[in-house]
Amino acid sequence: MSDAPERSVTTGTAEPPRTGAVVPVLAFGGIVVSLMQTLVIPIVGQLPRYLNASASDTAWAITATLLAAAVATPMMGRLGDMYGKRRMLLVSMAMLVVGSVVAGFSDTLTPMIVGRALQGLSSGVIPLGISILRDELPAERLGSATAMISASLGVGGALGLPVAALIADNFDWHALFWTSAALGVVALVLVLALVPESKVRTGGRFDLVGAAGMAAGLICLLLAISKGGDWGWSSGTTLGLFAASVVVLIAWGFFELRTERPLVDLRTTARPQVLVTNLASVAIGFAMFSMSLVIPQVLQLPEQTGYGLGQSLLSAGLVMAPSGLVMMALAPVSALVSRARGPKVTLMIGALIVAAGYGLNVALMSEVWHFVLASCVIGAGIGFCYGAMPTLIMGAVPASETGAANSLNTLMRSIGTSVASAVAGVVLAQMTTRFGPYALPSEDAFRTVLALGAGAALLGFVVAAFIPKQRGSAEAEAPVAEGGAPEAAEPAKA
């Protein structure tokens, strides 16, 4: 398939788009969706009792969200490019509301899993929002707005834990889902009222076969990664799923290369700037999630262990919350650095800050403020990285492929977090110490996971160093509206 984009379809409107409220509305939507990551963490231990099911079965309440998000994110991005990003944004928010309502009514396992899967289908909101920004905002506002929307992912994840713990401690557990449903309705109404529909569309027919192939391959891969620790890494099920994912994804790639309108344009994805940015995103995703796996556990372990701090889940969440606020506060700084030095430099700086934060945490683990400090430093670095990656992607693809390209980048980060969870699970399960009748992860185990987070960040720095400077202008490649004016914003320097 040729790299040249098609002409976009415009909706044509007499009114100029109202862009003043677009950024805060999309940021709010991103925060609401990212809250789903930590929504059920306060009640994970009680879910078997609530749903009258085994712990291994109730774990699917988390796994279903992960799998649905992995499948939905690239599909929603492509559908947004084809039929309208605002339209798919509304569909995503509607999925979140419906999923929350289903889970809110659930008292057994099946509706809970269905509801959580529907919530996972809303994960395309942030890449769709970033793509809308490219279509609607002038170039001088695009960088800071993109960094702000990207930071909303971290803000929601950081604030979600204390908020969810507060609700779970004081209300019936169903209130978690009624709260998420209410927030979803507010976000949906705001998008409907204040976000204009993008004029940049490709039209065409959706690649159903490609979507099915990608879904099958990703589900096999992520199931093996997320459940391998439970099933055994050398078990036939785990190895079979890994093998199936390789076979399916290779076959899918050959099919996509021969399809006129593929779900993912692999030739565009193979452009050096896009490919290397996506590889760096996997490493940064790993580094981001390592903090979430260590800090809450150490904070909540009993003081009698000698390294635990005996905090409640709510207190642990409050320790994590400032990191999200730091991400949002530094979004404009990230944009300024990208404008002055290019997003590649911003990404490299962010990776070094993340590594420094993990190094700090390895050395300081004995006081609550140590974890507040380390998480804020790591959050600052993640804010830089998350602001830079979409800018690098948008600078290398035509406007007609922004949704699909940003969604794929989001998927790469998600794969990194899934790998981090699996690796940390192995480390924490193997390096243990006795505490009465229980085997708990040792202090060295937690330090090892933090060191792996630092190593992943440094790997992201090294990979980012190979991102090439952008050649030519994406403006020249941008789709042209019916009136003949180019639709894409001027790309940022790489």
Side-chain angles (χ1 to χ4, degrees), residues 127-151:
L128 284 169
I130 292 172
S131 301
I132 289 173
L133 295 180
R134 182 182 185 182
D135 297 342
E136 300 300 330
L137 295 186
E140 63 272 13
R141 291 184 57 197
L142 182 59
S144 59
T146 297
M148 188 70 70
I149 302 300
S150 296

Side-chain angles (χ1 to χ4, degrees), residues 8-384:
S8 69
V9 179
T10 65
T11 55
T13 178
E15 294 183 13
R18 296 168 293 175
T19 60
V22 168
V23 176
V25 168
L26 294 177
F28 176 73
I31 291 172
V32 170
V33 169
S34 58
L35 287 172
M36 299 308 105
Q37 298 175 355
T38 50
L39 184 67
V40 299
I41 288 179
I43 61 171
V44 164
Q46 290 75 43
L47 277 178
R49 178 165 55 89
Y50 292 154
L51 302 175
N52 193 27
S54 67
S56 60
D57 287 339
T58 57
W60 284 97
I62 296 175
T63 305
T65 308
L66 168 71
L67 298 179
V71 171
T73 300
M75 292 186 189
M76 282 298 180
R78 181 58 178 156
L79 287 168
D81 287 337
M82 294 173 67
Y83 303 122
K85 301 176 183 72
R86 175 178 175 267
R87 179 178 298 176
M88 291 302 111
L89 196 62
L90 291 170
V91 170
S92 296
M93 295 308 307
M95 291 288 187
L96 186 148
V97 174
V98 172
S100 298
V101 170
V102 171
F105 277 117
S106 67
D107 286 308
T108 57
L109 183 62
T110 300
M112 170 62 77
I113 292 175
V114 171
R116 289 289 290 162
L118 288 171
Q119 287 182 324
L121 294 177
S122 68
S123 63
V125 163
I126 291 178
L128 284 169
I130 292 172
S131 301
I132 289 173
L133 295 180
R134 182 182 185 182
D135 297 342
E136 300 300 330
L137 295 186
E140 63 272 13
R141 291 184 57 197
L142 182 59
S144 59
T146 297
M148 188 70 70
I149 302 300
S150 296
S152 69
L153 177 63
V155 173
L159 297 182
L161 186 58
V163 171
L166 186 64
I167 293 173
D169 286 345
N170 293 280
F171 302 95
D172 178 77
W173 66 275
H174 293 91
L176 290 168
F177 299 102
W178 296 121
T179 302
S180 65
L183 291 172
V185 169
V186 172
L188 192 150
V189 170
L190 290 174
V191 170
L192 193 62
L194 299 173
V195 176
E197 181 57 274
S198 170
K199 298 180 291 293
V200 181
R201 301 188 197 175
T202 62
R205 180 180 299 174
F206 184 67
D207 179 15
L208 288 173
V209 175
M214 173 177 256
L218 287 175
I219 288 174
C220 290
L221 176 63
L222 292 175
L223 263 181
I225 291 173
S226 61
K227 304 294 285 185
D230 297 330
W231 295 335
W233 293 107
S234 60
S235 71
T237 302
T238 303
L239 295 177
L241 284 171
F242 274 127
S245 69
V246 171
V247 172
V248 171
L249 289 175
I250 288 175
W252 170 79
F254 278 110
F255 177 82
E256 292 294 276
L257 288 171
R258 288 161 175 75
T259 300
E260 183 179 357
R261 298 175 185 271
L263 176 71
V264 177
D265 190 335
L266 294 179
R267 290 182 175 85
T268 298
T269 304
R271 292 176 182 175
Q273 184 166 323
V274 178
L275 178 62
V276 181
T277 300
N278 282 334
L279 292 175
S281 298
V282 175
I284 297 300
F286 186 109
M288 180 198 78
F289 203 60
S290 297
M291 169 179 70
S292 302
L293 294 167
V294 170
I295 294 179
Q297 290 195 60
V298 176
L299 288 169
Q300 292 179 82
L301 284 174
E303 293 181 356
Q304 291 84 347
T305 60
Y307 53 91
L309 299 181
Q311 301 294 310
S312 67
L313 179 62
L314 176 59
S315 298
L318 291 173
V319 168
M320 299 286 289
S323 66
L325 301 178
V326 169
M327 290 183 207
M328 187 68 78
L330 288 182
V333 179
S334 168
L336 287 174
V337 174
S338 291
R339 178 173 292 185
R341 305 289 303 199
K344 171 182 174 178
V345 173
T346 305
L347 179 57
M348 295 173 70
I349 291 173
L352 288 179
I353 295 174
V354 171
Y358 277 115
L360 194 65
N361 209 177
V362 169
L364 301 175
M365 291 183 62
S366 59
E367 302 287 343
V368 171
W369 70 265
H370 292 168
F371 292 95
V372 175
L373 175 62
S375 66
C376 285
V377 174
I378 295 168
I382 292 169
F384 269 66

Side-chain angles (χ1 to χ4, degrees), residues 414-465:
S414 297
I415 290 174
T417 62
S418 298
V419 173
S421 179
V423 171
V426 171
V427 172
L428 297 179
Q430 295 297 318
M431 301 175 66
T432 61
T433 185
R434 300 301 301 182
F435 182 69
Y438 303 104
L440 298 177
S442 66
E443 185 176 15
D444 286 341
F446 290 117
R447 292 186 191 277
T448 299
V449 175
L450 292 172
L452 288 172
L458 292 175
L459 176 61
F461 170 83
V462 172
V463 174

